[in-house]
Amino acid sequence: MEQDDVVRALGALAQPLRLQIYRALVVVGDGGLTPGAIQEGLGVPAATLSFHLKELVGSGLVTQERSSRNLIYRAAYARMNELLGYLTENCCQGASCALPSAPSGCGC
């Protein structure tokens, strides 16, 4: 992952509502959520939600897919793992300090 991509991803998460949206998408897993479900769960206006989803998709941390008449948003787990890898690449002064395995079934 390039430094510019890292800055874009961290910038997208550096806003409270976008962080809530992202965490909600991570929690639901591969099934994703429609904008209506996100809006209902977080109690935000549609225009506000649309703006923030656009930022998250632009950062690469969230994907958007059309399914019939609905849009489905999902956390991009591979991108999330790339970001985490970049952030921890030089931790522990180069010594091996592998992260614990993710719980089974989280899609990571």
Side-chain angles (χ1 to χ4, degrees), residues 55-92:
E55 292 294 315
L56 288 166
V57 170
S59 75
L61 290 171
V62 170
T63 64
Q64 175 190 50
E65 177 186 335
R66 182 163 292 283
S67 175
S68 184
R69 294 182 353 191
N70 296 315
L71 290 174
I72 306 294
Y73 290 90
R74 294 181 179 90
Y77 292 106
R79 187 69 159 183
M80 177 184 74
N81 287 332
E82 286 177 16
L83 177 61
L84 292 172
Y86 180 91
L87 294 173
T88 59
E89 183 175 18
N90 296 311
C91 72
C92 304

Side-chain angles (χ1 to χ4, degrees), residues 26 77 80-81 84 98-108:
V26 169
Y77 292 106
M80 177 184 74
N81 287 332
L84 292 172
L99 297 173
S101 298
S104 173
C106 81
C108 301

Side-chain angles (χ1 to χ4, degrees), residues 6-57:
V6 171
V7 170
R8 190 174 305 113
L10 292 175
L13 295 174
Q15 200 282 340
L17 181 56
R18 284 196 293 264
L19 184 58
Q20 285 182 305
I21 294 166
Y22 186 72
R23 291 188 69 184
L25 292 172
V26 169
V27 168
V28 299
D30 290 334
L33 292 170
T34 63
I38 299 168
Q39 188 178 2
E40 184 179 309
L42 298 178
V44 297
T48 301
L49 178 62
S50 178
F51 171 79
H52 290 298
L53 284 169
K54 181 180 175 184
E55 292 294 315
L56 288 166
V57 170

